[in-house]
Amino acid sequence: MFFPPAEVELEEAWLTEAGLSSLVVGSSSTETPPVVEAVLSTLTRQQAATVRKRLDNYNETLRKRNRQPIRDVRDVFTEPETDSADHGPVPTQQQPEPPPRRYHTTTKTIRRSTNRGRSTLPVFVFEDRLQEDPSSPAPTPSPSSAVSRLRCADWLLRDTPYSEGVAEHKWGGTCRDCVRFHGDESSELQLAPASPSHGLTCTDDLSSRDLTRLGFIAHIELSTFLLALGVQSKRSRLPHRRTRDSGVFGVSLNSLLDNDRKRFPGVKVPVFFQKLLGVLEQSGLQTEGILRVPGSAARLKFLRRELDRCWSAFDWTDVRPVDAGGLLKLFIRELPTPLLTHTHLSTFCSVLGVSSEVHQVQALQLLLLLLPEAHRNMLRALLLFLRKVVSHQDHNRMSLWNVSMVMAPNLFTRQNHGNKRSITKQQEEMEEAMGGARLIGLMIRHQDLLWTLPKFLLAQVRQMNQASSQRQFNLSRTTSRLLRRKNDKNLVGELSEGVIRVHAPLHTKVSMAIQLDEQTTARDVTTRFQSESSPAQHLYEVGGNIYERRLQPDCCLLDVYRVNPRCDWLIKP
């Protein structure tokens, strides 16, 4: 049965997920905690307006329920008395540098000058191109080549949030991305990731601490983005299923991972799920109707009982591919908390209200960042497997749409309404199934983009870390300036401009000073420490305005150095 949550609870949940829980949990202090200040200090004007609207609605709801509001919105968002330029219009991307006050600033949050404390990321613009030798002349578009046409997802490289580029949608217009990516309606949208040399980051490259803060910004930006597109999203609170403590079916992902990590430290996806996918990849990818053809109900019941009893000693030799596919769907359906979570299921469905596919991908990209880490990692493993199934469709007869339709009821679960359902209810369920299939198809096709962080999000996390660090040490502006000058002097005395010291505690070469240039990549550095017997190593950016970030091999280090000059450089597995 569905229980609509009270409006005040919805607003409390929204503010909590945005990292602003201290504004709603009854704090009597007039000072906002460092995390709240850090979040508020990084917001753009549109993002700040979304938070202000939510807080206004929360306070108004409290008044209606005869409860005292925790804090008036004007106490949180008080505009500075001076510097009225902060109210000016946001510049377009064609301007070489953003103005110093593009981000919202409050009198109670950390005051900063973005000219001094924030390094802006360049804006890259790419022309649509085929995936071929860049030195060859551009071919003339033709009906036959339109289907294979790839469009570079250069919006990942922009310095401005998604919500600032869709203002035209408010008046029924069409934004630049819609014109560019959907100009040719005769071809399916194919998005190619931007070049790794531009320093893009994947979700698993960041530390858990940075991912948590990234989720705060992504949550606010997603609400702002959908609001700018005219799409309403509401939270739903569904009753949790009863959780089992033993076995594998009906056990929460966190419990499964806790048990697995006793034997396999650092595992991110339940070992049982990995084993199940391995069995299917080994014997089921070329099986006709895999995932669609149901296995024997009696056989599945027997297999479930045996796996719950002791799956680690289970012999998978005689398990048929169709039965393994049935176990996969059963495992996903039986999760106490759905893989996409009760909290975000309705938001996933609301993404279908976005008219442009490129904006749907952008919204999904933000939405997946809000999933718990265990759910996000398992979903990533599942989507990778489903893409392999689709790639063998010539043998298994499972096209992208077939796979999406089969998996939709397992990911977009509904409570049992009984056997007697009205025709209207059946039609609604059918429409929801079709919508869920479209979403799964989008996630399978564009999964490489979904796990790639747009640069503007990482830039806001850097600002948040820097603001939080300053607030934590409670340094005055004068003291901070003196310490900065002292540190700069010490750094200059040790290393010249553009020179970094890379630490490799697990190697015979403990550290090495390296002069950076425009072509120096992370691979160039790790190669200097690599030996035939050593395992694969990665270069990490540690400290400064980031907690920890693994750098992609083709990442240009000079760009990282310019954005975070105070970081340490560490080589480890």
Side-chain angles (χ1 to χ4, degrees):
M1 182 177 178
F2 172 74
F3 298 97
E7 187 175 2
V8 66
E9 295 176 358
L10 291 177
E11 299 302 339
E12 286 178 354
W14 190 95
L15 291 167
T16 299
E17 195 167 352
L20 308 175
S21 58
S22 62
L23 300 180
V24 299
V25 295
S27 174
S28 58
S29 173
T30 57
E31 281 290 325
T32 52
V35 173
V36 175
E37 287 211 6
V39 172
L40 296 177
S41 66
T42 64
L43 302 182
T44 64
R45 287 198 296 272
Q46 291 191 44
Q47 292 170 347
T50 300
V51 175
R52 187 183 293 111
K53 180 179 179 180
R54 289 281 186 170
L55 195 55
D56 273 334
N57 190 42
Y58 171 70
N59 287 336
E60 181 62 26
T61 306
L62 287 182
R63 293 188 186 97
K64 292 180 180 179
R65 292 179 55 170
N66 297 322
R67 287 171 54 185
Q68 182 65 30
I70 301 304
R71 182 169 299 153
D72 191 275
V73 65
R74 290 170 295 182
D75 296 333
V76 180
F77 292 99
T78 304
E79 298 296 338
E81 295 178 0
T82 60
D83 220 349
S84 59
D86 198 23
H87 302 280
V90 178
T92 59
Q93 293 181 344
Q94 284 73 19
Q95 294 183 352
E97 293 184 359
R101 290 302 187 95
R102 185 170 65 82
Y103 285 92
H104 177 83
T105 311
T106 70
T107 56
K108 290 191 177 182
T109 57
I110 297 154
R111 298 174 183 267
R112 59 186 173 79
S113 170
T114 51
N115 281 341
R116 180 178 65 249
R118 177 176 179 269
S119 301
T120 58
L121 295 171
V123 178
F124 299 87
V125 179
F126 294 89
E127 296 298 328
D128 295 347
R129 58 182 180 273
L130 291 172
Q131 212 175 21
E132 57 182 29
D133 185 1
S135 61
S136 60
T140 303
S142 63
S144 59
S145 65
V147 176
S148 61
R149 225 173 136 73
L150 290 176
R151 295 170 172 84
C152 182
D154 63 316
W155 34 266
L156 290 169
L157 303 172
R158 295 176 191 163
D159 192 33
T160 54
Y162 298 151
S163 56
E164 294 191 1
V166 293
E168 295 86 353
H169 287 266
K170 290 184 177 181
W171 299 279
T174 304
C175 68
R176 185 186 70 174
D177 283 341
C178 290
V179 173
R180 178 166 179 252
F181 289 99
H182 299 287
D184 186 2
E185 297 295 342
S186 64
S187 62
E188 185 181 61
L189 179 61
Q190 298 288 342
L191 297 174
S195 170
S197 62
H198 295 305
L200 293 176
T201 304
C202 297
T203 53
D204 55 356
D205 290 335
L206 289 181
S207 65
S208 298
R209 176 176 173 179
D210 289 322
L211 278 175
T212 299
R213 298 193 167 193
L214 188 78
F216 297 157
I217 304 298
H219 176 62
I220 297 173
E221 169 61 14
L222 176 62
S223 298
T224 308
F225 184 50
L226 292 179
L227 188 63
L229 291 171
V231 177
Q232 297 295 328
S233 62
K234 292 185 178 180
R235 285 174 168 264
S236 298
R237 186 188 65 183
L238 297 174
H240 289 275
R241 299 174 183 173
R242 185 174 301 174
T243 303
R244 300 179 58 206
D245 297 326
S246 60
V248 288
F249 293 92
V251 180
S252 68
L253 291 182
N254 288 331
S255 297
L256 290 173
L257 288 172
D258 289 341
N259 292 330
D260 290 339
R261 285 166 181 163
K262 296 175 182 178
R263 295 178 298 162
F264 309 100
V267 67
K268 295 183 177 181
V269 178
V271 178
F272 169 76
F273 189 72
Q274 294 185 51
K275 179 63 178 179
L276 192 54
L277 293 182
V279 170
L280 283 166
E281 289 181 12
Q282 184 177 3
S283 60
L285 290 180
Q286 298 191 18
T287 301
E288 185 171 345
I290 188 65
L291 298 178
R292 175 176 55 82
V293 177
S296 167
R299 178 70 175 168
L300 285 178
K301 186 176 181 180
F302 168 77
L303 291 174
R304 171 178 178 164
R305 183 171 62 249
E306 291 299 308
L307 289 167
D308 274 335
R309 185 174 60 84
C310 185
W311 80 265
S312 58
F314 183 77
D315 184 9
W316 293 87
T317 307
D318 297 329
V319 177
R320 299 183 304 169
V322 291
D323 291 332
L327 290 172
L328 174 69
K329 294 184 290 184
L330 180 63
F331 178 78
I332 296 173
R333 286 198 310 271
E334 291 291 312
L335 288 173
T337 301
L339 189 56
L340 302 181
T341 71
H342 292 306
T343 302
H344 301 297
L345 271 176
S346 59
T347 309
F348 273 99
C349 295
S350 68
V351 171
L352 293 171
V354 178
S355 58
S356 166
E357 183 172 331
V358 67
H359 294 325
Q360 288 178 339
V361 174
Q362 292 169 341
L364 286 173
Q365 187 182 50
L366 297 170
L367 186 51
L368 293 180
L369 290 173
L370 308 184
L371 295 179
E373 185 176 2
H375 291 245
R376 184 170 59 246
N377 291 332
M378 180 174 159
L379 178 63
R380 185 172 187 176
L382 175 64
L383 293 176
L384 184 61
F385 165 72
L386 295 180
R387 181 165 64 183
K388 293 178 180 178
V389 174
V390 175
S391 68
H392 289 76
Q393 61 180 309
D394 291 340
H395 299 281
N396 57 36
R397 307 299 181 186
M398 292 297 292
S399 64
L400 176 64
W401 180 247
N402 289 339
V403 171
S404 301
M405 281 296 292
V406 168
M407 295 303 300
N410 303 282
L411 290 174
F412 295 90
T413 55
R414 290 182 58 88
Q415 299 296 314
N416 187 10
H417 294 278
N419 296 326
K420 295 183 178 180
R421 292 172 295 171
S422 65
I423 296 179
T424 303
K425 182 64 66 176
Q426 294 180 26
Q427 290 176 345
E428 291 177 357
E429 293 180 8
M430 180 59 68
E431 291 176 359
E432 289 183 5
M434 298 286 285
R438 288 196 294 270
L439 285 175
I440 294 174
L442 278 175
M443 290 190 284
I444 294 174
R445 285 171 50 210
H446 302 299
Q447 57 184 281
D448 291 334
L449 294 176
L450 297 180
W451 312 117
T452 305
L453 303 179
K455 276 196 171 183
F456 78 85
L457 268 186
L458 190 59
Q460 287 189 268
V461 171
R462 291 185 185 277
Q463 297 161 31
M464 184 177 176
N465 286 335
Q466 186 171 352
S468 179
S469 177
Q470 293 175 4
R471 180 66 181 176
Q472 179 180 356
F473 291 105
N474 197 23
L475 298 176
S476 66
R477 185 174 301 178
T478 303
T479 305
S480 299
R481 188 180 301 112
L482 291 175
L483 288 177
R484 189 183 306 114
R485 289 176 179 174
K486 182 179 178 180
N487 291 335
D488 290 343
K489 184 178 180 180
N490 293 338
L491 288 173
V492 171
E494 181 181 355
L495 296 174
S496 302
E497 181 71 20
V499 179
I500 63 173
R501 182 169 296 280
V502 180
H503 302 275
L506 301 180
H507 292 72
T508 55
K509 297 179 181 179
V510 178
S511 66
M512 179 187 298
I514 298 176
Q515 174 69 55
L516 300 180
D517 57 36
E518 297 290 347
Q519 285 74 41
T520 307
T521 65
R523 181 184 287 108
D524 297 332
V525 174
T526 55
T527 302
R528 301 192 184 189
F529 293 87
Q530 197 77 26
S531 63
E532 295 181 359
S533 58
S534 63
Q537 303 288 304
H538 299 277
L539 182 61
Y540 287 78
E541 169 195 3
V542 182
N545 53 34
I546 205 77
Y547 190 74
E548 184 175 280
R549 174 194 174 205
R550 181 176 61 197
L551 302 178
Q552 294 293 315
D554 293 327
C555 175
C556 178
L557 298 188
L558 195 57
D559 291 339
V560 180
Y561 176 80
R562 290 165 177 165
V563 174
N564 191 9
R566 301 182 187 279
C567 74
D568 293 323
W569 306 81
L570 181 65
I571 288 184
K572 62 178 183 178

